Amino acid sequence: MMTEVLRKLAQWKQNGVELHPVSVNLSHEDFDWPEIVEMITNLTDKYGADHSLISIEITERDLAGDMTCLQEKMRELHRRGFKFWMDDFGSGYSSLNAMYEYRFDLIKLDMKFVQHLDENHGINRKLMKSLVQVAKEMGMQTLSEGVETEEEHDFVKQIGCSKTQGFLLAQPRPMDDYEKLL
């Protein structure tokens, strides 16, 4: 997947398309590979992409395992200019520990927060507002997943969420369709 993303970025750059960062999902197991840092760096350099254009997403559930190894590789990739996003924040049991133990540039708040905003006396509204505030204080951006209504969009903007993702803004589409929009 990384190769495909980098190939597409190179093609867009050659065609004069304005480039925006792209996130690529990797698993904890990918970081067990001893050469992962060099592979990501060399592949990105091969296609002439600025390292800041690649955000590496790791799901919260993938943070289990050899924490030291993952932390070291994340630190080295950060040093080389890559960004890290924690995907599905709040879907597991280690979210707050992960904010402390790993250096993420952005946390993606799991869509379940937005889908159940007003249930249980609106607890998710309070949780989201607090999580966004804590993330800001730690120097992280936030992205709210699963935004499907104007009310949800207004709420996440009001609490200061940095980015929004969901069907309200765009449906998933093939890469070629996305390219036409650019």
Side-chain angles (χ1 to χ4, degrees):
M1 184 53 69
M2 180 78 74
T3 301
E4 289 304 311
V5 166
L6 291 164
R7 226 182 250 145
K8 190 56 81 170
L9 284 171
Q11 179 185 2
W12 288 342
K13 183 178 179 180
Q14 184 178 4
N15 293 337
V17 174
E18 182 182 355
L19 300 180
H20 298 278
V22 177
S23 63
V24 177
N25 289 77
L26 295 179
S27 71
H28 191 283
E29 290 79 19
D30 292 323
F31 286 91
D32 289 340
W33 189 45
E35 290 82 28
I36 189 73
V37 171
E38 292 306 319
M39 187 277 296
I40 291 170
T41 303
N42 292 341
L43 200 54
T44 305
D45 292 347
K46 173 184 172 184
Y47 286 96
D50 190 282
H51 294 183
S52 66
L53 288 173
I54 302 298
S55 297
I56 300 166
E57 285 192 39
I58 303 173
T59 61
E60 180 186 43
R61 71 180 177 281
D62 279 334
L63 295 176
D66 183 357
M67 186 171 76
T68 305
C69 179
L70 179 58
Q71 287 172 326
E72 288 172 7
K73 290 175 181 175
M74 285 177 68
R75 265 194 300 276
E76 182 57 27
L77 285 163
H78 260 128
R79 191 184 70 69
R80 296 177 186 206
F82 295 93
K83 304 286 186 210
F84 278 88
W85 293 9
M86 185 192 324
D87 196 11
D88 297 334
F89 182 87
S91 64
Y93 298 103
S94 62
S95 300
L96 295 176
N97 286 340
M99 288 176 77
Y100 166 77
E101 293 168 345
Y102 298 92
R103 184 175 152 235
F104 285 96
D105 300 287
L106 179 141
I107 58 172
K108 292 176 72 173
L109 300 171
D110 190 76
M111 69 174 58
K112 290 180 184 175
F113 285 113
V114 170
Q115 290 174 341
H116 305 288
L117 274 180
D118 294 315
E119 293 176 16
N120 198 15
H121 307 289
I123 192 73
N124 279 354
R125 288 181 183 269
K126 295 170 189 157
L127 283 170
M128 286 184 72
K129 183 177 180 180
S130 296
L131 289 170
V132 167
Q133 183 62 38
V134 167
K136 279 184 185 180
E137 289 178 16
M138 294 178 74
M140 290 184 268
Q141 292 187 314
T142 51
L143 182 150
S144 182
E145 298 177 319
V147 174
E148 296 183 3
T149 68
E150 288 292 341
E151 178 190 353
E152 293 166 350
H153 189 248
D154 291 344
F155 173 72
V156 297
K157 280 181 14 186
Q158 178 218 339
I159 64 171
C161 197
S162 312
K163 300 176 186 301
T164 308
Q165 178 181 332
F167 285 176
L168 177 68
L169 303 172
Q171 301 270 335
R173 62 184 77 226
M175 185 67 80
D176 290 337
D177 289 353
Y178 178 74
E179 187 173 346
K180 290 173 191 170
L181 289 174
L182 293 175

